[in-house]
Amino acid sequence: MGKSPITIKDIVIILLGAFASVCVAYAFPKALEFFRVVRPFFKLWRFRKNDTVYLINGIIEENTASAKGKFILGAGDVKALVELARGLEKRYSAVRIKNLYAKQLSGADMMSEHIVCIGGPKRNEVTRKLMDTIGTRYSFDSGKLIDKTLGKEYSPKKAEKDDHYAIDYGIVIKACHAAGQDRWAYILAGCHTEGVMGAARYISSLDRGGSSRIRRLTKEFGKGPFEIAIKCTITKDPMGVIEPLKLERLSCASQFEVGGNSGDISESARRF
């Protein structure tokens, strides 16, 4: 008996099967990425379409004769700013991201928009004011990170043959500053510039195990406020670029009192 001729129906079935295979091969990884990476990232940062996010940089005024009146950012602060801006812009194409220096932020801006403070209280005036009013368990003193709840001090360590810190400490804080408008404030601070870089990497990077770290954060704290202390092990490549080699969580809390409202700093914002 001869072979049955291929009918139009057979061709349609073959084409549909091929199309379905391509769709599954493409759609499944995308769906997996959405649920494992994108969705937790959105849940953590809480920004929405057409929101404005201010990235608040801390600066130090140089008092030397050659640099009088000039302002500088630490190397880690710059790296934190660049990585954070790129990460947010990649995931939030419809969100307006603006860079400001601490002294440029008004009380009205703080009340109406999301803010991300980059840099510790010594460099960043907004970080200092927020930490004073939030009621956080952490503080910085004489170059050390203090955990007031545990009564512990964490002292950074310099690299043996270099000028950077091989071990530094940082904090990541998320707090609601306008509850009715769902506006959030984030603090990414460190004992030194290396700790700032580590704090930014901890909450924003999706590389180097970052996606699993963000999934853990959203699983533990949901959409709510939190504060975390981290230990940053820093390396320096042959080109002189510093990078976080390892990030370890030291302690954390899911709630903290702010004027009687856990994680809400709206009253503090009004005093800016």
Side-chain angles (χ1 to χ4, degrees):
M1 295 178 63
K3 294 182 178 179
S4 301
I6 297 176
T7 65
I8 294 178
K9 181 180 179 181
D10 295 330
I11 295 174
V12 171
I13 292 174
I14 292 171
L15 291 176
L16 287 175
F19 179 74
S21 298
V22 171
C23 288
V24 170
Y26 176 80
F28 180 75
K30 289 293 183 181
L32 186 64
E33 180 187 16
F34 177 79
F35 284 103
R36 290 180 57 84
V37 178
V38 179
R39 190 168 180 238
F41 190 87
F42 288 165
K43 189 176 180 180
L44 177 68
W45 285 98
R46 300 296 306 277
F47 305 147
R48 296 178 180 176
K49 185 177 180 180
N50 297 324
D51 279 354
T52 298
V53 180
Y54 288 114
L55 304 184
I56 311 301
N57 311 303
I59 53 177
I60 290 181
E61 184 173 4
E62 286 288 292
N63 292 317
T64 59
S66 60
K68 186 69 175 176
K70 293 184 178 180
F71 298 89
I72 60 171
L73 283 170
D77 296 52
V78 173
K79 194 171 186 66
L81 173 63
V82 171
E83 287 191 2
L84 184 61
R86 286 177 178 174
L88 293 177
E89 287 170 352
K90 181 179 179 180
R91 298 296 174 185
Y92 287 102
S93 59
V95 169
R96 295 181 292 271
I97 298 175
K98 300 181 179 180
N99 297 321
L100 292 178
Y101 291 121
K103 293 183 179 180
Q104 295 176 306
L105 181 69
S106 68
D109 290 333
M110 185 175 177
M111 282 297 297
S112 60
E113 309 296 351
H114 304 286
I115 59 174
V116 183
C117 299
I118 301 171
K122 184 177 179 181
R123 290 179 179 270
N124 194 320
E125 182 180 354
V126 179
T127 297
R128 176 179 59 79
K129 290 180 178 179
L130 288 179
M131 290 186 68
D132 286 345
T133 54
I134 278 177
T136 173
R137 64 190 282 173
Y138 304 114
S139 64
F140 296 100
D141 185 40
S142 303
K144 301 177 182 179
L145 172 63
I146 314 296
D147 186 328
K148 293 173 286 188
T149 300
L150 298 180
K152 288 187 176 182
E153 294 185 357
Y154 300 98
S155 300
K157 296 181 181 179
K158 282 262 192 179
E160 291 185 3
K161 298 181 180 180
D162 214 330
D163 59 350
H164 74 283
Y165 282 89
I167 302 292
D168 200 4
Y169 298 91
I171 59 172
V172 177
I173 297 176
K174 175 185 177 182
C176 182
H177 72 83
Q181 302 179 54
D182 195 24
R183 292 294 183 262
W184 293 83
Y186 299 80
I187 296 174
L188 311 175
C191 297
H192 303 283
T193 191
E194 291 86 350
V196 176
M197 177 174 55
R201 177 74 58 84
Y202 190 89
I203 194 176
S204 66
S205 174
L206 296 175
D207 300 327
R208 307 175 187 87
S211 58
S212 60
R213 184 167 57 241
I214 288 177
R215 285 197 303 275
R216 179 186 174 189
L217 287 174
T218 55
K219 183 177 180 180
E220 286 183 277
F221 306 117
K223 298 179 180 179
F226 59 79
E227 52 182 347
I228 297 172
I230 60 173
K231 176 183 178 181
C232 313
T233 302
I234 306 297
T235 186
K236 193 173 187 178
D237 67 20
M239 299 298 294
V241 178
I242 56 174
E243 280 282 345
L245 181 65
K246 185 178 181 181
L247 301 174
E248 304 172 66
R249 183 190 297 193
L250 300 173
S251 57
C252 64
S254 60
Q255 295 185 350
F256 39 94
E257 292 301 319
V258 185
N261 296 312
S262 177
D264 188 334
I265 59 172
S266 54
E267 288 301 320
S268 305
R270 294 190 181 96
R271 296 195 294 269
F272 263 52

